[in-house]
Amino acid sequence: MSTDTIASPSRTAFDVRPFDAPLGAEVLGLDLAQPLSAADFECLRSAFLDHHVLVFRHQRLTPTQHVGFSRRWGPLQRHVLHQFGLYGHPEVLIVSNIIDSGEPIGLGDAGVFWHSDLSYKPRPSLGSLLHAQELPAEGGDTLFANQHLAWDSLPVALRDAVAGRRAEHHYLKQYAELQKRSPWRPNLSEAQVAQVPPVAHPIVRRHPETGARALFVNEHFTTRIVGVPEDEGQALLQELFTVSTQPRFVYRHRWQPHDLVFWDNRSLQHLAAGCPPQQRRKLYRTTVEGDVPA
Ligand code: SIN
């Protein structure tokens, strides 16, 4: 496995160590609590575009530092379930299965279906930064699937069937199902529902920074293919969901204490594998706004 040592002219030397996987790399020797020079930032950007997931180990960041690093990548998006925002840091979503005095402290079932964060928004997320606070002894992994490889591997007939087409994404697609599984999941207010109307995006998008094509549909939020009869569209979507998350495209992240994981939602889908309910899991997530998919 190769390791690139990136020396920035201004200060830091850090290592980017690619995983033996279809995506992902570990960044070693960088403390994100310290100011990051423009040169270091550009090195990180290029590693991010190359590997789609960057894992920063041993990051003892405060929420303010987490938000500060996240903002370097673009404006932050607030989750529609604002009740799970971290007190004093509304841009930080608490992802947690912990119930405290009968109340969930965070979104406990975030990511139980494959998805790309906020694909249901007109400007879906560029990337998300998830910082481990409390980890279970067992399970709790996060899986990432490379959607460039998924597109490249698509059978020609399937490519031809979807190229140039758009699909609708809707936050509410699995909401009733999630409420059935997780009774603590809140009902949405009218104002919340109004924030997340359905939107249509290309099924195959071009990455705005690299130009690489990627599949952009997911089982969590994609409801239908625009302009295709319902049965035919659903059959195509099911095929795409299956093909796009095959194990050969997947990196499985096993969390270590104080990991900060930054992934590219324009290139990937991800899934939370879950952990035994009695095991406590808590992470803080920020979400950087991306472009309008094209
Ligand atoms: C998410 O979908 O953002 C949460 C992923 C996780 O909890 O592993």
Side-chain angles (χ1 to χ4, degrees), residues 93 95-96 107-113 115 117 128 130 140-144 220 255 263 265 270-274 281 283 285 287:
L93 176 73
V95 173
S96 179
L107 188 54
D109 56 2
V112 300
F113 296 106
H115 67 289
D117 285 330
S128 304
L130 194 58
D141 301 345
T142 308
L143 280 63
F144 298 93
H220 197 157
W255 290 87
W263 66 85
N265 283 305
H270 62 284
L271 175 81
R281 184 175 188 267
L283 305 98
R285 191 184 95 188
T287 309

Side-chain angles (χ1 to χ4, degrees), residues 140-153:
D141 301 345
T142 308
L143 280 63
F144 298 93
N146 186 325
Q147 298 307 289
H148 299 299
L149 296 181
W151 168 252
D152 290 345
S153 77

Side-chain angles (χ1 to χ4, degrees), residues 58-215:
H58 316 299
Q59 299 298 322
R60 291 178 179 271
L61 298 180
T62 63
T64 301
Q65 289 164 334
H66 178 176
V67 167
F69 177 60
S70 305
R71 283 214 175 105
R72 294 286 297 260
W73 303 89
L76 302 187
Q77 294 169 298
R78 292 188 189 178
H79 198 276
V80 61
L81 292 178
H82 51 77
Q83 52 269 68
F84 297 133
L86 181 65
Y87 182 74
H89 298 277
E91 317 84 346
V92 176
L93 176 73
I94 304 174
V95 173
S96 179
N97 62 356
I98 298 171
I99 307 281
D100 192 8
S101 311
E103 293 291 326
I105 67 160
L107 188 54
D109 56 2
V112 300
F113 296 106
W114 282 101
H115 67 289
S116 171
D117 285 330
L118 279 57
S119 75
Y120 51 84
K121 300 286 274 185
R123 298 176 75 96
S125 165
L126 174 155
S128 304
L129 299 97
L130 194 58
H131 188 216
Q133 306 293 315
E134 197 173 338
L135 295 174
E138 203 185 315
D141 301 345
T142 308
L143 280 63
F144 298 93
N146 186 325
Q147 298 307 289
H148 299 299
L149 296 181
W151 168 252
D152 290 345
S153 77
L154 226 54
V156 174
L158 193 48
R159 272 189 193 213
D160 289 348
V162 299
R165 294 211 169 270
R166 296 168 76 78
E168 187 181 85
H169 297 239
H170 196 189
Y171 179 67
L172 299 183
K173 178 184 175 191
Q174 305 279 10
Y175 207 84
E177 172 61 25
L178 288 166
Q179 281 193 309
K180 229 186 288 166
R181 296 184 191 189
S182 313
W184 51 263
R185 215 176 223 267
N187 290 323
L188 294 168
S189 68
E190 276 181 30
Q192 284 171 314
V193 171
Q195 278 175 39
V196 285
V199 293
H201 294 307
I203 292 178
V204 187
R205 69 181 292 187
R206 268 193 190 275
H207 193 289
E209 294 180 80
T210 65
R213 286 197 172 89
L215 266 179

